[in-house]
Each structure stands twice: as C-alpha cells, then as structure tokens.
Amino acid sequence: MLNRLNRIEGQVRGIKKMVESDVYCPDILIQVSAVNAALNSFNKVLLAEHIRTCVAEDIKEGKDGTIDELVLVLQKLMK
C-alpha cells in the first residue's frame, strides 16, 4: 500500500512541476486522470483489505454496526 501511495505522490509532484513549467493543459489533464485512476485502484485494494479483516472480524464478533458503517463508506465512495 505504501508503495502505491509513494508512486501516486510522485505522480502528483510531477503534475506540480508540469504546472510550474506551463506545460500544455491537455498533457496535464492526462496526468491528472492517471492519478485519479491510481487513487481509485488504491481505494479498491484498501476497501477489499478492510472487508477481509476489520469487517469480517466485527461480523464474527456480532458487531452489526460495522455493516452500517461499511454501507456509509460505500455510499461516499460511489458519489
């Protein structure tokens, strides 16, 4: 997960340099789109891991509030 975040951070720094260097806007937009895709991918991996660990454990322990929390998180992610 940290490797993914480090790559995304590097991409964002690259975009900042592009803006500072007055690079052609469509080229910047393509890089922003790549960062968005990388963040979405990160979210999917993080969510899957959360469900496999925290949510599964809470369900086994009878903590039904975790399902409601998960539903709220999914609603926010799907905006």
Side-chain angles (χ1 to χ4, degrees):
M1 297 296 292
L2 291 176
N3 286 338
R4 285 176 182 256
L5 287 174
N6 286 333
R7 273 189 305 224
I8 292 167
E9 183 181 20
Q11 287 177 294
V12 171
R13 279 195 306 269
I15 292 170
K16 182 180 178 189
K17 289 177 185 175
M18 292 173 79
V19 171
E20 290 170 346
S21 300
D22 203 26
V23 171
Y24 189 53
C25 292
D27 294 337
I28 297 170
L29 290 167
I30 290 169
Q31 292 305 310
V32 171
S33 178
V35 169
N36 283 331
L39 283 169
N40 284 334
S41 178
F42 177 85
N43 267 349
K44 289 175 191 174
V45 171
L46 182 60
L47 178 61
E49 191 61 27
H50 176 62
I51 292 169
R52 285 187 193 103
T53 57
C54 301
V55 174
E57 289 172 18
D58 283 356
I59 289 171
K60 288 176 187 174
E61 295 173 7
K63 298 178 183 175
D64 293 334
T66 301
I67 300 292
D68 295 332
E69 179 185 82
L70 179 60
V71 169
L72 288 174
V73 168
L74 291 171
Q75 288 172 343
K76 289 178 183 180
L77 288 174
M78 292 180 178
K79 280 187 177 182

